[in-house]
Amino acid sequence: MEQEILKMDNITKVYPNGMVANKNVNFSIKNGEIHALMGENGAGKSTLMKVLFGLETPEEGEIYLKGEKVKIDSPTTAIKYGIGMVHQHFMLVPSLTVAENMVLGIEPRKKGFIDFEKAISITEEISKKYNLIVDPKAKVADLPVGIKQKVEILKALLRGAKILILDEPTAVLTPQETKELFIQLNTLKENGHTIIFISHKLKEIKEICDRITIMRSGRSVGVHNVKDVSEEDISKLMVGRDVILKIEKEKSVPKEASLKVKNLNYLDETGKQVLKDINFNVRKGEILGIAGVEGNGQRELIEIITGLKNYNNGEIYIENTDIKNLSIKQIRQLGTSHISEDRMIYGAAGDASIKDNMISDRFDSKSLNNKGLLNMGKIHSMVNSLVKDFKVKCDDSSDPVKMLSGGNIQKVVVAREFSSEPKFLIANQPTRGIDVGAIEFIHKKIVELRDNKTAVLLVSADLNEVMELSDSLMVMYGGEIVAYFEDSSKVTEEELGTYMLGIKKQSPEEIRRAINE
């Protein structure tokens, strides 16, 4: 490992609403290292990386590359300086091929037209060079998540990136895909590339990273050699207190089913069968987890249960009520709460205030609304209480929710859904992209609801979360339930990964027997 290749010196970033996201932050990386950047949501790490990649302009501070002061005012400039960023939500065009995505913006041309054969050739060459094998002719929409990530990394490398910013790169990967990614990252490191690794997964930080910079409240609070700090040390440095990393819960005592799904099938608008013969129950006092690589029917299943999609055939009962012809509101009135997969599409209204988002499911309730007149005093008191109880970092509940960090937006959603006293909770990626302190808090709240006899359906791409939090567990692959475990503690991450990748599959009899036990 060589000396410092990049230095960010006294970076200060203040947003128009007065929020100080970065305050005199110093950050540096060495050539040929994998450097972790960690911190609670709202700690300022995303803003710092946006400044480095030219997506944000700092009020103060300087950036030095190989000792030379540089001004990075756009992603194009960042790429020119050899800095690439792979976002958590991939920036690919699904309808185009891998090769077309690879050369987007730098298309090779022949007689004035795009040279598709050359694009394929370019993709094949760089794929072999970095041993990140992809099919240039495959349509991106048809690719599994792990391959899409390879394409994103290759896109950055093709444009000359020597410094790679990876934002939550393993968030949707199986253990096998994560292992493969780490092999590839170590190869890049050996070839002189430098990687900034943003993650909340402490085990992975310990496994792959050389050094770690920890941020808290918009400032850098220390740089450490990863080998010198434990997972508990990192958690405490991030949060400022001891964090319980192990989920503590008593064995569940399930009661009657709150959700019953029978012979559910779903065809999408193209006629493709997305869900096939889905059968399962979620019982009161139980957390049933769904594991699976994204794109295997989990999203459609949840959207159908919550009324966001209509289904072709089958039966769904919530609290013994057939929901076939019910509206979203009517389904919620049965006692259903929903933490959605995408907090900014279904979970929150970005331009609305924190307060309005928190009461959006109950503004017409008798307790808050008297003949069309809102009880603002009661609303204000309730919202302030939720902000305090759920530790939402904000200046004022009247601020637009979009001004919060991703993790704090998630806390707003969770506060609303948990405080509605649900009989049935759907938690879809409840802790995605949030820090260990917030994860600990949300996990405790989910277990509390379970202990109060709420039925919980948990969907998570984080295998550690879905295995530790769930009482029972099922795996989806190709729109089917391919495995069901009555006791989630009796399956390993590696075994679960084989079901998630379609390598193994239980027989229909095994699944039926496990569900009915």
Side-chain angles (χ1 to χ4, degrees):
M1 196 184 298
E2 297 178 16
Q3 291 307 304
E4 187 177 88
I5 186 175
L6 179 137
K7 181 182 180 184
M8 302 180 77
D9 193 22
N10 290 314
I11 300 295
T12 295
K13 173 63 188 176
V14 183
Y15 284 105
N17 68 342
M19 185 184 78
V20 181
N22 291 151
K23 179 67 174 175
N24 301 126
V25 177
N26 295 308
F27 175 76
S28 67
I29 52 175
K30 296 177 181 178
N31 192 32
E33 75 168 332
I34 301 179
H35 193 115
L37 182 61
M38 297 193 79
E40 287 192 276
N41 284 99
K45 57 190 184 301
S46 294
T47 299
L48 187 67
M49 289 301 99
K50 286 178 181 177
V51 169
L52 178 57
F53 195 57
L55 292 166
E56 296 284 3
T57 303
E59 273 61 47
E60 297 176 22
E62 313 291 348
I63 299 175
Y64 297 88
L65 192 62
K66 298 178 183 177
E68 297 288 324
K69 182 177 169 181
V70 295
K71 182 180 180 182
I72 302 175
D73 53 10
S74 70
T76 303
T77 306
I79 291 165
K80 185 183 78 174
Y81 283 123
I83 301 167
M85 188 168 185
V86 177
H87 300 267
Q88 182 179 345
H89 300 290
F90 302 143
M91 313 292 279
L92 300 171
V93 182
S95 59
L96 299 182
T97 65
V98 169
E100 288 166 341
N101 271 279
M102 284 291 294
V103 300
L104 212 54
I106 53 169
E107 297 89 349
R109 297 196 171 263
K110 186 177 182 181
K111 297 181 180 178
F113 295 96
I114 296 174
D115 189 341
F116 290 106
E117 291 303 316
K118 182 64 176 174
I120 290 169
S121 173
I122 289 170
T123 304
E124 288 174 339
E125 285 174 20
I126 196 160
S127 175
K128 288 174 184 173
K129 178 180 177 180
Y130 291 104
N131 197 30
L132 292 161
I133 306 305
V134 295
D135 178 1
K137 298 177 182 178
K139 187 186 285 189
V140 163
D142 299 329
L143 297 178
V145 172
I147 302 298
K148 288 178 184 176
Q149 189 173 67
K150 285 184 184 181
V151 176
E152 285 281 29
I153 293 172
L154 284 170
K155 268 178 64 182
L157 294 172
L158 178 62
R159 286 154 179 77
K162 296 297 288 183
I163 297 171
L164 271 176
I165 305 165
L166 302 183
D167 187 4
E168 299 287 348
T170 66
V172 293
L173 301 184
T174 64
Q176 290 84 347
E177 289 170 326
T178 297
K179 186 177 180 181
E180 184 182 346
L181 173 66
F182 284 2
I183 291 170
Q184 291 154 352
L185 294 184
N186 277 316
T187 301
L188 288 172
K189 170 183 161 182
E190 289 164 10
N191 290 332
H193 287 79
T194 302
I195 296 158
I196 301 172
F197 193 93
I198 305 171
S199 177
H200 292 100
K201 297 184 178 181
L202 299 175
K203 288 180 182 176
E204 294 178 0
I205 295 295
K206 289 288 291 177
E207 181 180 347
I208 190 73
C209 297
D210 301 299
R211 293 193 302 151
I212 178 172
T213 294
I214 296 173
M215 295 187 67
R216 194 192 315 153
S217 301
R219 299 173 183 267
S220 170
V221 294
V223 183
H224 305 268
N225 292 318
V226 170
K227 62 181 174 57
D228 296 334
V229 286
S230 67
E231 291 180 31
E232 289 75 16
D233 293 334
I234 296 170
S235 297
K236 190 170 183 177
L237 287 163
M238 284 170 57
V239 181
R241 60 175 175 82
D242 288 324
V243 176
I244 300 169
L245 299 176
K246 182 79 175 172
I247 297 171
E248 297 180 344
K249 60 184 175 75
E250 299 293 327
K251 186 172 175 60
S252 67
V253 185
K255 302 296 183 182
E256 69 276 12
S258 186
L259 171 75
K260 299 175 185 176
V261 179
K262 300 180 180 180
N263 302 317
L264 178 66
N265 289 273
Y266 172 69
L267 306 179
D268 67 14
E269 55 276 7
T270 68
K272 178 184 175 184
Q273 183 150 19
V274 179
L275 296 173
K276 182 180 178 184
D277 298 330
I278 301 293
N279 291 275
F280 69 94
N281 301 322
V282 186
R283 298 168 292 183
K284 297 179 187 297
E286 169 189 54
I287 300 171
L288 172 64
I290 300 179
V293 176
E294 288 193 5
N296 281 281
Q298 306 96 307
R299 174 185 292 179
E300 289 81 2
L301 176 62
I302 298 305
E303 289 182 351
I304 286 169
I305 294 171
T306 54
L308 292 165
K309 281 188 185 297
N310 296 317
Y311 51 101
N312 304 95
N313 56 65
E315 299 173 76
I316 300 175
Y317 294 87
I318 295 177
E319 295 298 310
N320 294 316
T321 300
D322 188 342
I323 69 164
K324 178 70 174 178
N325 297 310
L326 298 188
S327 66
I328 295 170
K329 184 174 182 178
Q330 288 171 323
I331 290 171
R332 291 185 71 94
Q333 287 172 337
L334 294 173
T336 303
S337 284
H338 176 210
I339 301 170
S340 62
E341 176 184 17
D342 193 319
R343 51 186 168 245
M344 294 313 295
I345 293 180
Y346 296 126
D351 291 324
S353 68
I354 296 164
K355 183 191 301 176
D356 288 346
N357 272 280
M358 280 189 170
I359 68 160
S360 60
D361 66 331
R362 65 197 74 171
F363 68 90
D364 58 349
S365 68
K366 289 181 180 178
S367 63
L368 300 180
N369 190 312
N370 183 20
K371 297 179 181 178
L373 295 175
L374 292 173
N375 186 332
M376 297 310 297
K378 195 167 186 179
I379 289 171
H380 191 69
S381 175
M382 183 191 76
V383 169
N384 284 348
S385 178
L386 288 175
V387 166
K388 182 181 177 182
D389 291 347
F390 285 81
K391 300 177 175 64
V392 179
K393 291 182 181 176
C394 65
D395 294 327
D396 192 288
S397 63
S398 296
D399 290 342
V401 81
K402 67 182 179 183
M403 297 307 297
L404 301 179
S405 69
N408 279 297
I409 294 172
Q410 187 75 349
K411 287 180 185 177
V412 170
V413 174
V414 167
R416 180 186 65 227
E417 300 302 320
F418 284 15
S419 64
S420 67
E421 299 180 353
K423 296 176 183 176
F424 171 44
L425 169 68
I426 300 169
N428 193 355
Q429 315 297 344
T431 62
R432 172 172 286 171
I434 65 174
D435 56 80
V436 289
I439 288 171
E440 177 199 28
F441 179 80
I442 290 173
H443 284 171
K444 280 183 178 178
K445 288 291 185 182
I446 290 175
V447 172
E448 281 177 20
L449 285 171
R450 182 207 73 166
D451 291 344
N452 288 326
K453 303 308 174 192
T454 298
V456 181
L457 180 60
L458 169 70
V459 184
S460 178
D462 183 338
L463 281 192
N464 185 60
E465 174 174 70
V466 83
M467 291 179 71
E468 284 204 28
L469 200 54
S470 301
D471 301 306
S472 301
L473 183 60
M474 65 186 198
V475 185
M476 290 187 68
Y477 177 78
E480 298 182 76
I481 298 172
V482 295
Y484 191 101
F485 302 94
E486 177 66 16
D487 185 347
S488 63
S489 67
K490 293 183 178 178
V491 59
T492 65
E493 265 193 37
E494 289 71 24
E495 184 183 1
L496 208 57
T498 61
Y499 287 108
M500 290 168 68
L501 292 169
I503 297 169
K504 287 178 70 176
K505 182 178 180 180
Q506 291 178 355
S507 69
E509 292 74 23
E510 285 180 286
I511 295 170
R512 197 177 304 115
R513 188 165 57 248
I515 290 174
N516 293 325
E517 279 181 357

